[in-house]
Amino acid sequence: MHRIKYLSFLFAICLALPAAAEQGRFSVSVAGFGAGTIAFSGSESGGRYKANGQVASTGLARGLYPADITVAVNGRVSGNSYAPGTYSEKTVKKGKTKTGTFRYSGGTPRVTKNPPDRNRKSYHADPSGQKGTVDPMTAAFAILRDRPAELACNLDLFPYDGRERTRIRMNGGTRKGDTLTCPGTYSRVAGFSSRDMAEKVHWPFTVIYRVQPDGTHRVTEVIVPTTLGKVRMRRR
């Protein structure tokens, strides 16, 4: 698969918010080698959610994807259903800064990139056709946040990053003691080249929850098999 793109999907799982919010920090490794750090937090109140945060690549990954990323989002939420309002991102790579903003109207994103995205291909998915999708960080928040038992391992979202539309599904799960192991699938939907789609469409991943004393399910690890080896995100 497109290795760097898939790693960027993982590095997009990042957040960090104001006080009185869920918080966590993860270390990221690829095939056993340190690849990055992720700090996150998020809050939900009155049917609204907010999240923002930072991701930094480290070690060998910094040679492949030398970037520091900050992101922020706000929107509406009901259970595991999310409707983002505004999403922003800032990437600093090799001394160059790129920013992006998604503003949603009727569930459809209007995407602004600075500098403009000059590497778009004819097969990339146009924003006007992405009604009902969520931004990358909303997807990250939905995966990583603490969940009550009835919402853990129960997710179906269509992330869109301005070029590609994917689908993330989590369901089922196996309990053993205070651990819930949840299977997930990341699927390519639109915006990919015919070569990418012919290569592979569905990619499995695993989310491991640890049940807290109050019954809350907290993510302790995310495991994604890739052609580079297993990518592991471990909560610190």
Side-chain angles (χ1 to χ4, degrees):
M1 69 177 298
H2 194 314
R3 296 186 178 101
I4 302 304
K5 191 64 184 178
Y6 201 43
L7 287 177
S8 69
F9 156 69
L10 295 170
F11 292 145
I13 302 182
C14 61
L15 322 157
L17 258 195
E22 301 174 22
Q23 299 183 32
R25 181 175 294 272
F26 289 78
S27 59
V28 182
S29 64
V30 181
F33 295 95
T37 59
I38 295 170
F40 82 87
S41 69
S43 66
E44 176 183 339
S45 178
R48 306 285 304 180
Y49 73 99
K50 295 181 180 179
N52 63 70
Q54 305 83 33
V55 174
S57 55
T58 60
L60 294 176
R62 199 159 186 89
L64 294 171
Y65 195 80
D68 296 286
I69 306 167
T70 59
V71 289
V73 68
N74 64 74
R76 293 179 287 106
V77 59
S78 176
N80 278 343
S81 297
Y82 297 81
T86 304
Y87 162 79
S88 62
E89 61 186 17
K90 177 182 178 181
T91 301
V92 180
K93 182 178 180 182
K94 295 182 178 179
K96 296 182 178 180
T97 300
K98 294 183 178 180
T99 62
T101 302
F102 293 18
R103 299 185 186 280
Y104 292 79
S105 178
T108 301
R110 185 174 72 252
V111 179
T112 303
K113 297 279 188 175
N114 185 24
D117 185 358
R118 303 190 186 283
N119 293 319
R120 288 189 67 85
K121 306 298 183 183
S122 59
Y123 52 77
H124 284 149
D126 189 87
S128 63
Q130 306 311 313
K131 183 175 182 178
T133 58
V134 300
D135 60 278
M137 202 186 69
T138 293
F141 182 42
I143 294 170
L144 289 183
R145 66 180 305 193
D146 293 352
R147 297 278 72 191
E150 66 272 17
L151 295 179
C153 199
N154 180 16
L155 194 65
D156 192 354
L157 296 175
F158 288 89
Y160 174 67
D161 65 3
R163 289 183 178 180
E164 299 165 354
R165 176 174 179 156
T166 57
R167 186 178 186 182
I168 292 175
R169 286 170 288 178
M170 295 167 55
N171 59 74
T174 302
R175 292 188 181 276
K176 185 177 182 181
D178 62 356
T179 299
L180 172 64
T181 301
C182 174
T185 305
Y186 164 86
S187 303
R188 293 167 169 168
V189 176
F192 294 87
S193 69
S194 55
R195 179 179 178 179
D196 285 339
M197 296 300 286
E199 179 190 41
K200 195 170 183 178
V201 174
H202 306 293
W203 301 83
F205 64 93
T206 301
V207 176
I208 300 175
Y209 294 92
R210 178 65 57 84
V211 182
Q212 303 302 295
D214 65 355
T216 298
H217 287 55
R218 176 165 294 170
V219 175
T220 58
E221 188 172 10
V222 179
I223 305 169
V224 187
T226 75
T227 52
L228 294 175
K230 284 187 178 179
V231 174
R232 293 181 181 271
M233 296 173 51
R234 288 192 173 101
R235 197 178 199 115
R236 290 181 173 181

